[in-house]
Amino acid sequence: EPPPALNVFKSNSQFGCPPEAWETRVVRTGAPPKRVGWDFDFPRGLSRLIKHPAWLSRGCPVPCSDIGYEQWDEMRLANNITRVSVPQEIRCRNPPPSSRPRKRRGVNRRNDDKDGGVVPEEEEEGDKYTNVIVMGGQQIRDYFWPHYKPQMLDRSQPPSLSTAADWALRLGAQKHESRIFAALTDNYQIWDYASALLVRSGILRFQPWIARDVEEHIRINVADELPLDVPYDGIHVRRGDKLESDARTFVRRYWDDLGMYDEETGDMPRNYIPFSHYLAQFDDGEACVEDEDEASPRLVYVATDDPMEVRREIAEDLPKDMEGNPVLVTANGCNIKFRFVFGRPPSEGDEEASTMAYHIDGDVSKGDCEDRYARNIAGIADLMILAKANIFVGEFNSNWGRLVRAFRLRVNDSTKVTNGARPVLTKGEMRIAWGHRHQGPPGW
């Protein structure tokens, strides 16, 4: 995590600040504590959201604590795939207690040469050394496809099977589950199984203050309209900046298939895929009745970064029954009634504020510390609610949609699977509204 002097966020974190992020002091007896500044010992980076499980690093502290942030960052930038095809390791010393006797031995550290090699340096007896590969998100993505992905999917020889089983064990698998994982050859099953292990083992576990505030957000903003102990479905609609990048091709294709895209001008009725198309994914025959008076409304939670427009679509594009419930009339003449619940009411008369309230990104200008934290809490609440829905409608173009699906995967831990029984996973039902039909590797 960058030190405060190098942090571009006022709250020292792009995730905003819970009450614990402040240093407080009681200035008057009987008065509530007063904020006097930031608690610089409080987590600032991803660990402000995610609790690092001690077992993952075997209880060891962050290695090489005498190396500063800027040095780490230089080493990260040195792992540049345009310069070195294989990510380079460094070997660094974990400073021992001052009382430990030490003798000179030799150490390896990264050289500044273009080949990214290492040169011998002094090492001291009694010290503990760690091999470290220093990367950021971009470096992980750059090296994943050519270097790591083939190793993760390799099942060609006995050594690769043993490596796969060991990997599963490090992800929290039981012994028989590690053998199942090593025997998988379908790429999608391998990624799904790894995702399910990640979720079950608690690698993606939120910090206690996040869990507390998400629960409170749901109680105040959602629970009255959506009791979580009743059946409900969920929809995630991601628009925003995706409409100008990843989603653009799929949007154009959608309107082109309807004969409503002008290739010469690029004009189309809307620059997004309509909300009604998401609703059409519920047309499975079971929810369809010809007489709408006989149908009960389907309870659906909607999470979106475009709430004002989705609400407008519901109000203007969908017919209503006698009780005011929106109705989708399907191509075969059936009627599906809905009752929609949104995670947070829109900001009255302020479309920009309403959209911002649903959107998480790294822009330092998006609100103050508490606003940023509130947006993160609302987003994580959406994630948890969608993960528990009976049926989830979304798409893999969105990182959020992929993460929701990961949280809905469960390992089939029956020992019968070892002998060939299937499925190897149980999945909360997901219906893909549009785009790619298969999810890629975890986190991709």
Side-chain angles (χ1 to χ4, degrees):
E1 299 175 1
L6 299 176
N7 202 310
V8 299
F9 298 96
K10 293 179 181 179
S11 61
N12 298 310
S13 172
Q14 72 181 80
F15 303 113
C17 50
E20 290 86 349
W22 297 90
E23 186 176 300
T24 61
R25 184 180 304 156
V26 176
V27 295
R28 191 173 71 247
T29 303
K34 181 180 180 181
R35 294 175 179 176
V36 295
W38 301 114
D39 181 353
F40 291 111
D41 292 329
F42 193 72
R44 297 186 296 274
L46 184 61
S47 55
R48 184 162 287 194
L49 289 183
I50 304 297
K51 182 178 176 63
H52 176 77
W55 64 265
L56 185 63
S57 53
R58 302 177 185 178
C60 299
V62 175
C64 317
S65 58
D66 56 346
I67 297 179
Y69 174 83
E70 292 175 294
Q71 290 175 281
W72 283 122
D73 204 38
E74 288 177 7
M75 291 184 246
R76 172 185 70 84
L77 294 173
N79 265 328
N80 186 328
I81 198 169
T82 63
R83 294 175 52 198
V84 287
S85 60
V86 176
Q88 302 295 293
E89 290 186 357
I90 66 162
R91 181 170 169 80
C92 58
R93 178 173 64 89
N94 296 308
S98 57
S99 59
R100 180 185 295 170
R102 297 182 292 172
K103 295 182 181 179
R104 219 172 65 178
R105 297 279 294 180
V107 67
N108 288 330
R109 64 173 176 82
R110 180 175 297 285
N111 195 351
D112 291 331
D113 293 340
K114 291 183 179 180
D115 61 3
V118 292
V119 295
E121 202 183 52
E122 293 183 350
E123 189 173 292
E124 300 186 7
E125 187 177 9
D127 287 352
K128 291 186 177 181
Y129 289 81
T130 304
N131 292 339
V132 180
I133 298 177
V134 187
M135 289 190 185
Q138 186 60 54
Q139 289 74 37
I140 291 173
R141 283 177 170 265
D142 289 343
Y143 283 107
F144 176 76
W145 290 103
H147 184 70
Y148 291 112
K149 179 185 174 185
Q151 298 178 54
M152 292 176 171
L153 297 178
D154 184 18
R155 301 292 190 274
S156 59
Q157 301 293 331
S160 66
L161 300 179
S162 176
T163 299
D166 289 342
W167 178 28
L169 290 172
R170 291 196 298 274
L171 292 177
Q174 302 296 320
K175 199 72 175 178
H176 72 280
E177 293 170 341
S178 72
R179 293 193 296 269
I180 294 169
F181 181 71
L184 297 176
T185 56
D186 179 88
N187 291 1
Y188 297 120
Q189 284 192 342
I190 291 173
W191 299 135
D192 280 353
Y193 207 96
S195 296
L197 290 174
L198 284 168
V199 171
R200 188 185 69 182
S201 61
I203 292 177
L204 297 175
R205 181 168 295 167
F206 294 108
Q207 291 282 18
W209 51 87
I210 299 293
R212 174 199 68 204
D213 295 337
V214 166
E215 182 178 358
E216 181 71 1
H217 173 89
I218 292 174
R219 185 186 66 80
I220 294 174
N221 295 290
V222 180
D224 286 346
E225 293 189 77
L226 183 75
L228 299 184
D229 57 352
V230 302
Y232 68 93
D233 301 313
I235 297 177
H236 179 241
V237 180
R238 175 72 164 93
R239 291 175 179 168
D241 57 306
K242 288 286 187 181
L243 297 178
E244 301 300 324
S245 55
D246 305 26
R248 188 170 180 81
T249 299
F250 295 107
V251 173
R252 187 172 61 243
R253 187 181 304 165
Y254 171 83
W255 292 111
D256 191 39
D257 289 344
L258 296 176
M260 303 175 73
Y261 175 72
D262 190 321
E263 292 187 6
E264 293 184 2
T265 64
D267 290 341
M268 46 191 165
R270 296 173 185 174
N271 70 336
Y272 56 80
I273 293 175
F275 184 62
S276 58
H277 182 71
Y278 290 77
L279 298 180
Q281 309 313 308
F282 292 111
D283 183 16
D284 55 7
E286 296 180 8
C288 179
V289 293
E290 295 184 3
D291 185 355
E292 67 177 49
D293 293 333
E294 296 180 2
S296 298
R298 191 164 198 145
L299 184 59
V300 177
Y301 183 82
V302 181
T304 178
D305 62 348
D306 194 17
M308 298 290 283
E309 181 63 12
V310 171
R311 286 175 180 270
R312 187 201 63 75
E313 292 177 78
I314 293 172
E316 299 179 9
D317 297 350
L318 297 177
K320 310 297 184 294
D321 67 4
M322 296 293 292
E323 298 176 349
N325 295 306
V327 177
L328 177 72
V329 181
T330 67
N332 57 3
C334 294
N335 300 282
I336 306 176
K337 295 198 294 188
F338 296 94
R339 183 163 72 86
F340 298 113
V341 176
F342 286 75
R344 180 187 290 185
S347 301
E348 292 295 334
D350 190 346
E351 184 171 350
E352 181 181 355
S354 179
T355 300
M356 187 176 76
Y358 283 83
H359 192 63
I360 302 172
D361 75 4
D363 190 340
V364 297
S365 67
K366 277 189 170 262
D368 61 18
C369 181
E370 282 80 7
D371 287 343
R372 185 176 292 277
Y373 183 68
R375 288 200 309 277
N376 278 276
I377 291 299
I380 295 168
D382 282 348
L383 172 66
M384 294 293 95
I385 294 171
L386 294 175
K388 296 179 181 298
N390 287 11
I391 297 174
F392 169 58
V393 177
E395 29 80 21
F396 296 142
N397 181 63
S398 163
N399 295 323
W400 216 236
R402 295 196 293 269
L403 190 57
V404 169
R405 182 178 181 274
F407 272 97
R408 293 169 63 83
L409 295 172
R410 297 291 182 271
V411 172
N412 183 354
D413 59 0
S414 170
T415 55
K416 295 180 180 179
V417 177
T418 311
N419 300 320
R422 290 297 183 267
V424 296
L425 293 166
T426 60
K427 307 174 186 179
E429 185 175 356
M430 176 176 180
R431 299 181 184 178
I432 302 168
W434 52 269
H436 300 295
R437 311 309 293 179
H438 295 283
Q439 180 170 332
W444 194 260

